[in-house]
Amino acid sequence: MYRILIVEDDRGIAKAIEEQAKLWDLEARCVQDFRQVLKEFARFEPHLVLLDIALPFFNGYHWCSEIRKVSKVPVIFISSASDKMNIVMAMNMGADDFIAKPFDQSVLIAKMQAMLRRTYDFGASAPLLEHRGALLNTGNGTLIYQGERLDLTKNEYRILSVLMENKGRVVSRERLMERLWESDSFVDENTLTVNVNRLRKKLDAAGLDGFITTKFGVGYLIEG
């Protein structure tokens, strides 16, 4: 079942789209916190985003730009501000389509289904792992925090992905070393410690202090 994220602050419109989507076997969710759109995006992992321009706190252009930093998921703008300038701006920010309000619900659904068919005939989008606003794209191995990309080595990425996949659970050093063994280089206890320390320094420098917790004699943990 395809998942649709609705970023629309008019609750009447948002709910109407949500109910209509369900009739067509689409799983739809309306954003609740317009300050945390990217966090809700990461948690829901939608196949398509419907995005209004005029939103509380940050406008739709901002959120489209943020989504494009971590995902190629289709984005359709829905807005009454449908003049040429706004349409061009939306496309330049990475939108895939623009539908002017007011719109017919059946037309919206038809456009969504066409977009989903075109996109996912070529495979699903890569999942995102999120914690404290940091987004790890498991498709390309990038970490984004507050709009900035953190460069990770292959081993740093492998360590972080295992810990974020197991958020709230302690991951043993042995399991982490097994993941690092997927690389061509030999990994011993000291190499693991060096990689974890380097990763921590990068996270701390980016403002993610205390992101990884050490459980002495056991392993490492990202608090849930």
Side-chain angles (χ1 to χ4, degrees):
M1 182 182 290
Y2 289 119
R3 295 181 298 279
I4 313 299
L5 184 66
I6 304 166
V7 191
E8 165 64 72
D9 63 324
D10 184 316
R11 291 300 179 187
I13 294 175
K15 279 296 178 184
I17 296 172
E18 182 181 24
E19 292 303 319
Q20 187 73 15
K22 289 177 181 176
L23 295 176
W24 291 90
D25 294 324
L26 299 169
E27 182 183 353
R29 179 179 297 179
C30 302
V31 162
Q32 300 300 311
D33 186 349
F34 290 95
R35 289 167 295 193
Q36 301 290 342
V37 171
L38 202 59
K39 182 175 287 189
E40 294 196 29
F41 171 87
R43 288 177 177 172
F44 189 48
E45 295 183 14
H47 296 94
L48 185 146
V49 177
L50 295 178
L51 183 60
D52 194 6
I53 293 176
L55 296 168
F57 307 107
F58 301 97
N59 64 29
Y61 299 134
H62 168 81
W63 291 119
C64 186
S65 176
E66 292 300 295
I67 288 169
R68 278 291 167 262
K69 291 176 181 177
V70 298
S71 175
K72 295 180 180 179
V73 66
V75 174
I76 299 177
F77 270 89
I78 50 172
S79 177
S80 56
S82 56
D83 57 275
K84 186 184 295 184
M85 185 181 73
N86 278 300
I87 294 173
V88 170
M89 178 79 76
M91 296 305 175
N92 286 340
M93 297 303 289
D96 297 276
D97 203 348
F98 192 110
I99 300 175
K101 295 178 183 175
F103 48 76
D104 185 284
Q105 292 277 9
S106 60
V107 172
L108 175 63
I109 294 295
K111 287 206 169 197
M112 288 165 53
Q113 289 178 324
M115 184 71 70
L116 290 167
R117 284 195 301 271
R118 288 198 301 270
T119 304
Y120 297 103
D121 279 345
F122 303 100
S125 58
L128 298 174
L129 301 174
E130 186 276 335
H131 183 60
R132 285 174 50 185
L135 296 173
L136 184 66
N137 187 319
T138 60
N140 59 20
T142 59
L143 182 70
I144 302 290
Y145 180 62
Q146 294 184 343
E148 298 296 324
R149 185 189 302 270
L150 278 70
D151 292 324
L152 302 176
T153 67
K154 288 183 179 179
N155 280 344
E156 289 167 351
Y157 164 72
R158 289 186 174 112
I159 292 167
L160 192 57
S161 64
V162 174
L163 293 175
M164 291 183 74
E165 285 166 6
N166 293 276
K167 186 166 64 173
R169 299 191 297 270
V170 177
V171 179
S172 69
R173 291 177 61 86
E174 289 76 16
R175 184 172 177 186
L176 285 171
M177 285 190 289
E178 285 175 8
R179 178 64 69 95
L180 267 63
W181 265 73
E182 293 174 7
S183 65
D184 295 331
S185 57
F186 176 76
V187 178
D188 59 15
E189 289 267 354
N190 185 60
T191 303
L192 174 62
T193 301
V194 169
N195 277 275
V196 170
N197 288 340
R198 285 177 179 168
L199 175 58
R200 275 183 164 142
K201 287 179 180 177
K202 288 184 180 180
L203 295 171
D204 289 346
L208 292 166
D209 305 73
F211 199 80
I212 299 173
T213 301
T214 300
K215 294 295 181 182
F216 291 101
V218 183
Y220 300 97
L221 165 72
I222 288 179
E223 302 284 354

